[in-house]
Amino acid sequence: MSDLSAPGFPEEEVRQRARAGAAAAFPPPGEYGRVLFGADRADRYPDGGRDPLDAMRITPPVFMPQRLARLIDLGREPDYRDVELTTGVGGFTSALPVYVSALGSTRAAGGDLGLALSRQAGALGLPMVIGENVVPVNGYGRLGEAADRALLGRLRAYAEELPEGRGGVAVQQSTEDADAEVWNLVYSDPAALPLLESGRLAFELKTGQGAKPGLGGMTVLDGEVAGRLGDRYGIDDVFGDGRVLRSSTPGTFTAEILRQQIRLMRNNFPRARVWVKLHPGRDVAEAARVAAEAGADAVTVDGAEGGTGWAPGAFPAQVGLPLAECLRRLAAAGPPPCLLVSGRIWEGGRAVKSLALGARAVGLGRAALLATAEDPEAGLVRFTECLALELRMLISALGKYTPAALDRDDVWSPEFSGISVRGSSLNF
């Protein structure tokens, strides 16, 4: 989809990485020896403020005992190539501390682009989440349903490329998906059996998303499709041009409902992993604690910066906690054992900060779609090569050699020095 765009997101940088791969982590090599480089770049919000996570700095120490331990282990001085990025993610083994965030029934993630993304994610050994509403809107993929937009098409495209022992698929279920018995369909499908038998299938219970906390999924449909789906979704003629707004119900949760849902998932689908996705609510730390104690294998938190889907303009701008604040609250309460986070992740610095502040892995949403749109054959692969190089270099610079070794001492907030950062509420 050459016309795919992402206003307010570093789209061209992502596309450059999809074209150039690891080389895009550096300035153009032709500028070497001719240009003097310094710390003058900062991604800024439209109002001139800074994202509080971007405003933090990664802080290598002078004394590095873990580097000494690695030196002794290797019998030589270690470098960034000795960083091991393989990470356990929600019961899966991932090649990187990275997963592909939930992409549901939106037009951008459907069709050939969704299949291309699935194939590349599978080949990379990255866990992938198939988002909500795919089955109620596009079908499962049987009995003549269009396989390119259906859930089964994505599942097969991913599994066919998956290396042995790596990756895994998490299938989301919303209220409408539950009515369509999506998890039952997947759990009993012979096509999913290799994933199930190898421990690489998860079901993700969605309570919300970063793009529109407190609301369900939304898409725009033409009148013909809306007529077919009107008995399953809320249809609202707000545009007045023949297209309509299709809305899912957000679902209702209390602490006890969440506990019981997780217990039901474990009872009904004992061979599948259990993931829970939370929107950036003010009680995100309490919700994460409830999910972890109830037995979730992974708890995913979308920051307010996250989300690829359609939403009212007021929501991305004004609703939900920033990812940095979610991480602060989760750290203060004690994060779940496997915390996955997303929210404007596209380069190594933001990823490493999230990992240092308690995340096990970070999610790629818009970045994954844009990289795949730039090159459906290898764009995501090259983008990930660049991200992996940055992760290795940044982690090595901290004198550490696995993502799990990162901790809160590895990042610094300007607030510690009394420098105010507009919009920031960090107190790490």
Side-chain angles (χ1 to χ4, degrees):
M1 292 181 63
S2 59
D3 61 344
L4 191 68
S5 64
F9 192 75
E11 176 182 346
E12 182 49 41
E13 288 93 332
V14 170
R15 289 183 178 273
Q16 172 61 18
R17 287 162 178 247
R19 294 190 297 266
F26 299 92
E31 296 180 355
Y32 180 75
R34 298 189 301 109
V35 178
L36 302 180
F37 298 99
D40 65 343
R41 175 180 173 175
D43 293 322
R44 294 195 172 274
Y45 281 0
D47 66 356
R50 295 247 0 237
D51 177 291
L53 193 59
D54 290 341
M56 301 184 79
R57 303 281 297 185
I58 297 168
T59 53
V62 174
F63 300 128
M64 299 182 178
Q66 291 188 42
R67 178 170 291 177
L68 174 61
R70 192 74 170 130
L71 181 155
I72 294 170
D73 181 53
L74 294 172
R76 59 170 172 78
E77 282 284 353
D79 64 23
Y80 68 87
R81 292 167 293 184
D82 296 308
V83 174
E84 175 54 61
L85 295 178
T86 303
T87 302
V89 178
F92 305 151
T93 300
S94 177
L96 304 171
V98 172
Y99 66 99
V100 176
S101 298
L103 302 171
S105 62
T106 59
R107 187 174 302 164
D112 292 340
L113 183 59
L115 295 179
L117 190 155
S118 298
R119 284 191 290 269
Q120 292 187 54
L124 288 163
L126 301 181
M128 180 183 76
V129 184
I130 298 178
E132 63 177 351
N133 295 315
V134 176
V135 172
V137 174
N138 298 320
Y140 185 70
R142 295 172 175 167
L143 304 176
E145 296 163 328
D148 60 337
R149 301 189 67 86
L151 188 148
L152 188 55
R154 294 196 210 177
L155 193 68
R156 284 176 170 164
Y158 180 86
E160 286 170 0
E161 303 294 332
L162 198 60
E164 187 69 27
R166 294 289 178 91
V169 173
V171 179
Q172 262 189 15
Q173 182 166 281
S174 65
T175 302
E176 289 76 17
D177 288 314
D179 293 338
E181 298 188 345
V182 170
W183 287 343
N184 286 323
L185 285 170
V186 175
Y187 200 74
S188 61
D189 191 339
L193 190 59
L195 292 173
L196 191 62
E197 290 182 334
S198 62
R200 292 184 286 178
L201 180 66
F203 292 148
E204 182 171 77
L205 176 64
K206 177 187 173 185
T207 71
Q209 60 186 301
K212 39 190 175 289
L215 294 181
M218 294 179 174
T219 61
V220 177
L221 304 175
D222 61 37
E224 180 182 350
V225 177
R228 177 170 59 85
L229 298 176
D231 61 337
R232 283 172 259 179
Y233 294 95
I235 303 295
D236 198 349
D237 186 12
V238 299
F239 304 113
D241 62 357
R243 290 173 290 188
V244 299
L245 177 68
R246 186 230 77 191
S247 301
S248 304
T249 53
T252 301
F253 290 92
T254 64
E256 187 55 28
I257 289 174
L258 181 56
R259 289 189 193 96
Q260 293 301 332
Q261 288 272 36
I262 294 171
R263 289 169 185 162
L264 187 69
M265 293 166 71
R266 288 219 168 273
N267 181 69
N268 291 357
F269 311 106
R271 300 169 71 190
R273 305 290 185 178
V274 173
W275 290 23
V276 175
K277 182 173 183 177
L278 307 176
H279 65 248
R282 61 178 186 261
D283 56 352
V284 65
E286 172 65 8
R289 182 190 63 78
V290 170
E293 290 180 353
D297 294 290
V299 177
T300 301
V301 174
D302 259 359
E305 306 90 340
T308 58
W310 186 262
F315 275 74
Q318 302 183 60
V319 181
L321 296 174
L323 177 56
E325 178 63 14
C326 291
L327 287 165
R328 186 194 70 80
R329 295 188 184 201
L330 287 158
C338 186
L339 172 65
L340 313 181
V341 302
S342 61
R344 209 167 179 267
I345 304 293
W346 69 276
E347 50 78 40
R350 191 172 176 87
V352 164
K353 293 170 193 175
S354 297
L355 297 172
L357 297 174
R360 177 76 63 84
V362 296
L364 303 177
R366 283 168 291 183
L369 277 172
L370 289 168
T372 305
E374 182 65 24
D375 182 352
E377 295 300 319
L380 181 60
V381 172
R382 284 194 288 267
F383 173 87
T384 304
E385 288 172 353
C386 185
L387 179 61
L389 178 64
E390 288 179 322
L391 290 173
R392 286 192 168 94
M393 287 187 165
L394 289 165
I395 294 170
S396 172
L398 290 161
K400 298 179 178 181
Y401 296 90
T402 66
L406 298 172
D407 59 40
R408 288 168 60 183
D409 289 338
D410 295 322
V411 293
W412 169 85
S413 167
E415 288 193 344
F416 279 136
S417 65
I419 302 172
S420 64
V421 180
R422 182 162 46 174
S424 173
S425 58
L426 293 177
N427 290 294
F428 285 101

